[in-house]
Amino acid sequence: MLRHAGTAVRLADYQPTPYAIDTVELDFRLQPQTTRVTATLALTPRPGTPAGTPLTLDGDDLRLVSVRLDGTPLAAEAFEAGPDTFVLKVPPARPFRLTIETDLDPAANAALSGLYQSRGTWCTQCEAEGFRRITYFLDRPDVLAVYTTRIEAPAGAAPVLLANGNRVAAGTAADGATHFAVWHDPWPKPSYLFAMVAGDLGMVEDSFVTRTGREVTLRIYVEHGNEPRTAFAMDSLKRAMRWDEEVFGREYDLDIFMIVAVSDFNMGAMENKGLNIFNDKYVLADPDSATDQDYAGIERVIAHEYFHNWTGNRITCRDWFQLCLKEGLTVFRDQEFSSDARSRAVKRIGDVRLLRTAQFAEDSGPLAHPVRPEIYHEINNFYTATIYEKGAELIRTLKALIGEAAFAAGMDLYFARHDGEAATIEDFIACFAESAGRDLAPFLVWYRQAGTPRLTVRHSHDRAAGRLVLDIAQATPPTPGQPDKQPVPVPVRFGLVGPDGRDVVPSAISGAEVTGDVLHITAAQHRVVFEGVHEAVVPSLLRGFSAPVVLASDLGPADRLFLLAHDSDPFCRWEAAQGLALTDLVAMTQAVAAGQKPAASAGLIAALGTVAEDAALDPAFRALVLQLPGEGDIAREIGHDIDPAAIATARAALKQAIADALGERFRTLADALASNAPYVPDAAGSGRRALVNTLGDYLALLPGGPQRTLLAYRAADNMTDRLAAMTTLIAAGAPEAETALADFHDRHRADPLAIDKWLVAQATAPGGDTLEAVERLTRHPAFSFANPNRVRSLIGAFTMSNPAAFNRPDGAGYRFLADVVLDLDSRNPQLAARLASAFRTWRALESGRRALAEAQLKRIAARSPLSADVTDIVSRCLG
Ligand code: BES
Ligand code: ZN
């Protein structure tokens, strides 16, 4: 594993491989102890490859058994093979076939990359570089081959045998003990999309008729007994398939589409061609065990992996630097799908919230990197919020910049021009430059430059002259390795909100290009002048969050309150409330740190009361407005010398002040919203529950509140309300929380996915002794360090979502995380590295905590051996 440490991969060094692999025949013999893999690769020298150029294949932890060239065993001196590489010294200068046998031990593969076992089921995970843990290969995304896979396994242990494509043969040995299946995938693909599954699984089948009338068989495989919990996933899949036909004109291209749910999985899900493999948390749902959020997550992830069939599989990435080409674009597509399926405004606000907590945080610390990086040491560490969330935002920004029609035409051009290819970001952007007839070279700066641009806006209005002036400056703070930044093109969607809430249309605009309601900011400074504006207006800027920037405007509280009440753009209304709350919370944090009593402003509280009761507004939207910025948001706003405890105290004080002022009205409202309609996980139902439960969070802070919350807990007939009540009790620090936790555990002890929620609830509890509780829970029988979902629920939630407890002033949280990272490193380095990235905010802490965090990072770095994954994260954090 240490082989990568120190080895940098650079975009500038890209070269095609000297040989192409045209076809791959894989033969798996699965046995309990050992698995024999025979791979036959049909190779061809690429045009221009000098005769005799050595062929170097990637491996990772492989045991070679034998090699043949065109069927003849190779002499020992003709090749070199180690665990991590295979070299054929002098390959023929013509097409040839290389047959390589390797032995694997899937049961011992705790890294969950390559071929491993999850609760007895054999399964694979090959992205990004897992295929080389199965056989020696040119394991990179620009090597596209046609795969045929034969699997032979014990019929009893593995009645189900699956691989990519269509099943072309199957049979059982004479004694009935072993059987086999052969699968053929006609679509050339990179090795990271290979998949194979063998096990004893239940199956649910459905079908889908494409718009050209082809019938596609749909199958979801789960552990026996879980079949009834797949209904929502299957429905989501069919809706996603239809949506991609209707909105992007993309049809499915095989006769069968399969999803397999497994319990041990490092990620959420994987888009292997025709055989998606999922973390079971994104497949299984019923009202008693899944929340509204889980249902939305399943719908989204099913759609995401399905959408990859075109954006990722049919058109793949030339190299891993282009990862956002498939991930950013596919996230954009799944966001659009969810927006169409639910409320667009609510979805947008949720996505922006995620962008800020995850990506803005990443972008402002030592792990900041461009959406299209130019160097990496360990590719697994680049599946980040920047690649995914900012990558998706850039597509949305591009769409705002060139308009809907040019965007749609550019997508069509991309699909037509690059189908079957391994493409780059430049290839992608070129399609839009062509469809829009615009030079998009400046837009590529967004992909090369890390950091979040900051737009500073000052406005002045001469009503008599009808002239509104906006002085807009943009600057991007330095990030590691990029001290100097260039301006980027920022489409600012805008409106000038008049006294009656309607947009006032200026007679002329100068100082920046304007198309429709988009102001094109391109330089470091713009003075934008609006003429013919005689009414009092409040500028509403960055509507719909039209670009991933920080907007610092000089609007005062009165203007923000006005936008919260009147803006026609729901995002800006929500943003106005967030901005007001953030201003209060920063001031309150300073007061706490200075030993003073923090006070909230009356205007915000009154406005929250009005929004809460505004029946004309979507309940889900009202819930979002009532949810205060998180502790991480406040920390980012403060920026440096952060005291997470003071932030938590200030935030709790604001919550209490809101509850004290509005409690009675919230009670009346919550009672009026109560419903005994049966549970439906749709936008309307989940919106109503979100509002009731958000109100409940405040009500629990009032006298008698916890007792009522416990009654609500007991009365809940679905997981959403039950978990919300339990979490509310924990957040309120109420003794009733213990009763709910005990009941929840007993009720859901047999369901690991529900136990995950129980772990998260305890890991995110406020209070000084949460760390001790987390440590105790690591020894609970329901917990296991071998299962990534358990680890993320307990330890990931504690370190990432409980800043005050993780950043305990005595440094015990840091020591605990370092212990866990070091312990996990030798077994599952990807998971260990993800956990270690919780240290990424350490430099912004106040000096005492900063020193303690640094000491623990250094303790991890000093360990030898240490995986490339963790080495990369800690060295960048310290760098
Ligand atoms: N291709 C990824 C899964 C993946 C990532 C595999 C990294 C191996 C290494 C998949 O398409 C994906 O992006 N999954 C996300 C969920 C998605 C809805 C954003 C995930 O697993 O978190
Ligand atoms: Zn993806």
Side-chain angles (χ1 to χ4, degrees):
M1 280 299 178
L2 265 172
R3 78 197 181 285
H4 284 315
T7 322
V9 185
R10 288 189 170 77
L11 172 60
D13 293 343
Y14 175 82
Q15 289 284 331
T17 57
Y19 297 87
I21 302 180
D22 307 308
T23 63
V24 181
E25 287 154 48
L26 286 167
D27 187 315
F28 288 86
R29 266 152 230 241
L30 300 172
Q31 257 131 39
Q33 299 313 318
T34 167
T35 289
R36 171 73 49 95
V37 181
T38 309
T40 299
L41 318 180
L43 291 130
T44 309
R46 290 197 200 270
T49 295
T53 301
L55 168 70
T56 303
L57 302 179
D58 306 301
D60 181 357
D61 216 6
L62 287 177
R63 249 176 305 154
L64 179 70
V65 177
S66 76
V67 201
R68 278 169 291 160
L69 180 68
D70 291 325
T72 309
L74 260 190
E77 55 289 357
F79 68 93
E80 262 169 37
D84 302 343
T85 171
F86 173 94
V87 183
L88 179 60
K89 293 181 186 166
V90 189
R94 50 156 176 86
F96 60 97
R97 289 165 68 83
L98 195 61
T99 302
I100 304 178
E101 281 186 302
T102 48
D103 271 349
L104 313 177
D105 185 358
N109 181 356
L112 312 186
S113 162
L115 176 60
Y116 66 96
Q117 280 194 304
S118 174
R119 291 169 55 96
T121 297
W122 283 278
C123 61
T124 55
Q125 171 54 44
C126 293
E127 189 178 2
E129 297 180 337
F131 192 73
R132 63 184 67 182
R133 291 165 60 81
I134 297 173
T135 189
Y136 294 104
F137 204 72
L138 294 171
D139 190 15
R140 40 187 276 177
D142 61 344
V143 175
L144 308 185
V146 170
Y147 286 66
T148 306
T149 306
R150 185 180 185 281
I151 311 163
E152 188 178 299
V160 172
L161 305 175
L162 311 174
N164 314 87
N166 303 308
R167 200 178 77 166
V168 291
T172 307
D175 64 356
T178 63
H179 70 153
F180 74 93
V182 181
W183 293 78
H184 177 74
D185 178 4
W187 297 102
K189 65 169 175 286
S191 50
Y192 82 86
L193 291 173
F194 169 78
M196 185 230 82
V197 170
D200 186 3
L201 297 168
M203 187 264 282
V204 176
E205 182 169 304
D206 206 326
S207 72
F208 177 85
V209 179
T210 70
R211 60 173 178 174
T212 61
R214 283 186 312 104
E215 181 163 332
V216 180
T217 301
L218 309 178
R219 289 189 183 151
I220 299 182
Y221 291 89
V222 292
E223 280 184 24
H224 291 290
N226 278 334
E227 295 89 340
R229 300 168 78 191
T230 63
F232 186 77
M234 185 67 90
D235 182 60
S236 300
L237 173 60
K238 289 188 285 184
R239 286 186 285 115
M241 294 177 84
R242 188 64 72 210
W243 185 91
D244 212 17
E245 291 183 344
E246 287 171 355
V247 178
F248 279 86
R250 299 295 111 201
E251 190 174 324
Y252 187 62
D253 57 4
L254 285 167
D255 298 333
I256 182 165
F257 185 80
M258 297 173 283
I259 289 174
V260 178
V262 298
S263 301
D264 303 274
F265 202 71
N266 274 342
M267 300 293 292
M270 178 63 210
E271 70 266 25
N272 317 298
K273 184 78 185 191
L275 178 56
N276 289 0
I277 299 181
F278 270 60
N279 186 324
D280 57 5
K281 80 180 270 214
Y282 289 117
V283 174
L284 304 177
D286 57 42
D288 192 54
S289 66
T291 61
D292 290 333
Q293 218 186 324
D294 293 329
Y295 277 99
I298 290 169
E299 179 178 86
R300 185 244 166 147
V301 181
I302 294 260
H304 176 99
E305 306 310 338
Y306 173 74
F307 295 157
H308 268 315
N309 193 53
W310 276 94
T311 50
N313 301 5
R314 289 287 287 256
I315 307 181
T316 194
C317 301
R318 188 192 72 172
D319 52 69
W320 291 121
F321 297 100
Q322 321 296 329
L323 182 57
C324 68
L325 179 68
K326 75 177 178 84
E327 294 302 349
L329 177 55
T330 305
V331 169
F332 170 79
R333 277 152 52 70
D334 79 56
Q335 289 174 345
E336 286 298 295
F337 168 71
S338 298
S339 299
D340 286 346
R342 291 158 184 263
S343 153
R344 182 163 284 270
V346 167
K347 174 67 179 158
R348 187 67 190 132
I349 293 165
D351 288 343
V352 173
R353 215 157 65 156
L354 174 69
L355 181 79
R356 287 178 174 159
T357 49
Q359 202 277 326
F360 282 17
E362 183 166 82
D363 232 0
S364 62
L367 298 183
H369 59 85
V371 172
R372 208 267 301 275
E374 280 161 31
I375 179 172
Y376 64 77
H377 287 83
E378 175 51 64
I379 188 56
N380 287 321
N381 291 336
F382 279 82
Y383 289 77
T384 60
T386 296
I387 304 289
Y388 276 71
E389 269 66 45
K390 187 173 177 182
E393 286 306 318
L394 292 189
I395 310 278
R396 196 172 292 284
T397 303
L398 173 67
K399 187 176 171 192
L401 204 116
I402 64 175
E404 285 199 21
F407 180 77
M411 282 303 314
D412 289 345
L413 185 55
Y414 175 66
F415 288 125
R417 183 180 286 173
H418 295 291
D419 186 13
E421 293 181 1
T424 63
I425 285 297
E426 281 79 3
D427 293 333
F428 178 71
I429 297 297
C431 295
F432 298 94
E434 216 167 296
S435 71
R438 250 182 195 267
D439 173 19
L440 291 179
F443 191 76
L444 283 168
V445 178
W446 272 111
Y447 284 92
R448 287 196 296 264
Q449 199 165 270
T452 311
R454 190 177 176 87
L455 242 57
T456 310
V457 182
R458 305 176 52 81
H459 76 293
S460 63
H461 192 185
D462 180 345
R463 280 183 62 192
R467 180 172 299 146
L468 172 74
V469 178
L470 297 185
D471 279 302
I472 304 179
Q474 72 156 302
T476 303
T479 55
Q482 290 187 331
D484 303 310
K485 303 288 186 177
Q486 286 170 252
V488 286
V490 182
V492 177
R493 216 179 274 288
F494 74 98
L496 306 178
V497 187
D500 62 354
R502 258 180 274 172
D503 287 357
V504 170
V505 181
S507 56
I509 305 173
S510 60
E513 183 194 341
V514 176
T515 53
D517 61 350
V518 174
L519 198 60
H520 295 261
I521 298 303
T522 54
Q525 304 272 352
H526 286 252
R527 165 161 288 199
V528 184
V529 181
F530 301 81
E531 306 282 358
V533 184
H534 294 278
E535 288 163 283
V537 295
V538 180
S540 165
L541 301 177
L542 214 65
R543 282 184 162 174
F545 199 67
S546 53
V549 301
V550 171
L551 178 69
S553 93
D554 62 346
L555 292 186
D559 286 342
R560 288 179 203 262
L561 287 167
F562 177 81
L563 289 181
L564 171 55
H566 298 293
D567 200 324
S568 60
D569 183 71
F571 169 78
C572 282
R573 288 184 81 164
W574 171 81
E575 181 76 329
Q578 291 287 299
L580 285 160
L582 216 41
T583 306
D584 270 13
L585 287 163
V586 170
M588 291 169 79
T589 302
Q590 282 157 356
V592 169
Q596 295 155 1
K597 200 172 144 41
S601 57
L604 170 66
I605 295 181
L608 292 181
T610 308
V611 170
E613 288 166 344
D614 187 345
L617 294 170
D618 179 357
F621 174 81
R622 288 188 263 163
L624 287 169
V625 172
L626 292 176
Q627 288 160 17
L628 298 178
E631 292 167 34
D633 300 318
I634 306 165
R636 253 194 341 281
E637 186 71 14
I638 296 172
H640 54 87
D641 293 296
I642 284 154
D643 174 356
I647 291 175
T649 304
R651 189 172 183 276
L654 180 54
K655 251 180 108 172
Q656 186 70 54
I658 294 169
D660 291 341
L662 302 173
E664 240 165 77
R665 287 160 63 191
F666 281 3
R667 255 291 272 306
T668 310
L669 183 57
D671 289 348
L673 286 162
S675 149
N676 37 32
Y679 176 87
V680 184
D682 60 1
S686 59
R688 190 188 55 76
R689 281 183 290 275
L691 181 52
V692 172
N693 291 323
T694 301
L695 295 169
D697 249 356
Y698 290 104
L699 295 173
L701 303 176
L702 298 173
Q707 289 87 329
R708 278 195 302 273
T709 309
L710 187 59
L711 291 180
Y713 172 88
R714 293 197 194 284
D717 68 349
N718 62 80
M719 178 57 98
T720 305
D721 291 334
R722 183 178 306 130
L723 181 63
M726 185 169 85
T727 306
T728 293
L729 289 170
I730 294 171
E736 286 80 356
E738 290 307 319
T739 314
L741 278 166
D743 177 84
F744 191 99
H745 178 264
D746 288 350
R747 192 187 272 268
H748 296 293
R749 59 181 342 135
D751 178 5
L753 297 177
I755 290 299
D756 283 343
K757 303 178 199 308
W758 183 77
L759 295 172
V760 171
Q762 294 173 87
T764 51
D769 52 3
T770 301
L771 173 60
E772 283 74 13
V774 169
E775 282 175 318
R776 230 178 301 119
L777 284 166
T778 61
R779 296 184 289 273
H780 192 283
F783 182 82
S784 163
F785 277 107
N787 181 282
N789 287 359
R790 294 310 90 73
V791 173
R792 280 187 289 255
S793 297
L794 184 63
I795 295 157
F798 174 69
T799 57
M800 293 288 212
S801 308
N802 196 344
F806 171 56
N807 295 284
R808 246 164 71 153
D810 64 0
Y814 310 139
R815 202 175 328 119
F816 170 69
L817 177 57
D819 286 343
V820 169
V821 167
L822 288 171
D823 187 48
L824 270 175
D825 184 66
S826 57
R827 285 174 288 156
N828 189 336
Q830 286 183 36
L831 183 60
R834 288 215 164 238
L835 292 178
S837 64
F839 279 113
R840 70 184 183 195
T841 48
W842 75 278
R843 271 185 203 282
L845 295 165
E846 52 78 24
S847 59
R849 288 172 171 91
R850 200 188 311 147
L852 292 164
E854 182 174 21
Q856 294 305 319
L857 275 165
K858 287 188 166 156
R859 180 161 75 92
I860 300 174
R863 173 67 65 87
S864 180
L866 191 65
S867 69
D869 309 61
V870 173
T871 303
D872 174 42
I873 295 289
V874 295
S875 53
R876 279 193 284 145
C877 278
L878 287 167

